[in-house]
Amino acid sequence: MDLHHVTAFLAVAEELHFGRAAARLHMAQPPLSRTIQQLERQLGAPLFERTTRSVRLTAQGAALVDPAREIVRSFATAERTVAHAGRGEIGEVRVGFAGPSSHRPISQLARRVRRDLPGVELTLTSTTYGSGAIERIQEGSLDLAIVMYPSVPVGLGSRVVAVNRLVVALPEDHPLAGRDTVTMADLADESWVMLQPTSGSSLRELTLRAAQEAGFLPRIAQHAPDSWTIFALVAAGVGVTLTVDTAFGGSPGPDGLVVIPLDGSAEQVHARLVWRADDASPVLRRVLALGEDALPTPPGAGG
């Protein structure tokens, strides 16, 4: 039994007239009669009582009507699903990000996808820093990521979605807390709180490089698993940390914390949207297209 048999059966069952059913199906009556006979042989039961004057459903035929309608609905649903998937209107995109500086762009992207592509699910992973996110995209366990990374390997596509400036987070009672700016040299004797060495964070690597250029090696008092834990430890007086000006998303951050611009550093920290360049997934391409509007590249930031 295939869809052709089912639609033919329903046409006759609903019209109770072979001529009208054939016209409805845009076919001649004899082929329709043969199709019904084939279906009856396959099912091993008569579906219609035929006379020269009338056509009536048998008990078996009446029992088949609802299942047949469900079959037709299921086929139609399958066709629509395939069409929507081909246009990128349904599906899943796995997105990685890490750190509070990513929260605003992720929120903007998710809001636009929910509005314009309600059939698309963004599966979010919030613990993927820089190199770790890049590796997961390369291996295929992520489709898209927002990372602070200076450049991306060959084979990946990327676009700058935010430009961040470096700032220093200090306890509010720190001797430098009243300054308008601080330099890395001012922090040479400080204790530091950083992400784990295995985190893959490009900001950690940037901190170590900036300290080396200023002539010192940071004395790390404690490692932390994420940015919010780092900020809480800084507020508690455990040490200082280098972060970006978007880390708090416009909020003041934890109580007891002061954020001061890093003087003498013109270095910009680019947040990038990254994906596999050869990934032809229609749903990913639709999300990337929405991202062009939801997360435009800042003027002068490059690609």
Side-chain angles (χ1 to χ4, degrees):
M1 182 171 59
D2 59 25
L3 185 61
H4 172 66
H5 290 112
V6 173
T7 53
F9 165 74
L10 281 176
V12 178
E14 290 167 359
E15 298 290 344
L16 292 179
H17 190 284
F18 274 82
R20 290 195 298 270
R24 171 173 153 181
L25 295 172
H26 306 289
M27 63 187 300
Q29 184 172 332
L32 175 59
S33 296
R34 289 194 295 272
T35 298
I36 296 300
Q37 290 166 1
Q38 290 171 358
L39 180 58
E40 289 176 324
R41 285 196 298 271
Q42 289 174 6
L43 295 177
L47 301 175
F48 298 98
E49 294 178 357
R50 307 166 179 83
T51 70
T52 56
R53 290 181 170 272
S54 67
V55 175
R56 292 189 303 171
L57 285 162
T58 64
Q60 297 97 319
L64 181 60
V65 170
D66 285 342
R69 286 172 176 159
E70 184 59 34
I71 290 170
V72 171
R73 282 195 294 268
S74 296
F75 266 88
T77 299
E79 288 178 342
R80 287 196 302 271
T81 299
V82 170
H84 288 318
R87 294 192 295 267
E89 295 171 352
I90 62 172
E92 177 190 24
V93 175
R94 300 160 299 174
V95 185
F97 66 100
S101 62
S102 299
H103 291 178
R104 184 169 181 270
I106 281 291
S107 175
Q108 289 173 304
L109 181 63
R111 188 181 304 115
R112 182 58 60 88
V113 169
R114 185 173 65 250
R115 189 191 77 180
D116 294 357
L117 295 172
V120 172
E121 179 183 2
L122 293 186
T123 301
L124 304 179
T125 302
S126 62
T127 56
T128 47
Y129 291 91
S131 62
I134 295 292
E135 290 173 3
R136 290 192 60 183
I137 289 176
Q138 289 175 315
E139 71 186 19
S141 61
L142 284 178
D143 304 307
L144 190 63
I146 294 180
V147 296
M148 286 192 293
Y149 215 68
S151 61
V152 297
V154 174
L156 298 185
S158 76
R159 184 172 60 80
V160 176
V161 295
V163 177
N164 307 305
R165 297 286 182 178
L166 293 173
V167 296
V168 179
L170 307 164
E172 64 180 0
D173 59 354
H174 193 281
L176 298 175
R179 298 269 293 272
D180 292 330
T181 62
V182 295
T183 66
M184 283 300 291
D186 293 330
L187 306 170
D189 297 326
E190 299 294 333
S191 297
W192 289 76
V193 183
M194 292 188 185
L195 289 168
Q196 298 283 354
T198 56
S199 66
S201 168
S202 60
L203 187 57
R204 174 190 164 88
E205 299 306 315
L206 190 155
T207 300
L208 295 174
R209 187 175 74 247
Q212 183 179 21
E213 292 172 354
F216 71 95
L217 183 66
R219 185 174 69 252
I220 301 175
Q222 190 165 339
H223 288 111
D226 56 63
S227 297
W228 284 117
T229 304
I230 287 178
F231 299 147
L233 291 170
V234 170
V238 174
V240 303
T241 198
L242 199 65
T243 185
V244 291
D245 56 354
T246 56
F248 304 106
S251 69
D255 291 340
L257 195 75
V258 172
V259 177
I260 302 175
L262 184 66
D263 191 21
S265 175
E267 184 166 2
Q268 296 178 337
V269 183
H270 289 172
R272 294 177 178 272
L273 203 60
V274 182
W275 62 93
R276 289 184 302 282
D278 62 354
D279 192 334
S281 163
V283 65
L284 174 62
R285 293 296 159 180
R286 286 295 296 270
V287 170
L288 287 173
L290 284 183
E292 294 278 354
D293 185 47
L295 301 173
T297 298

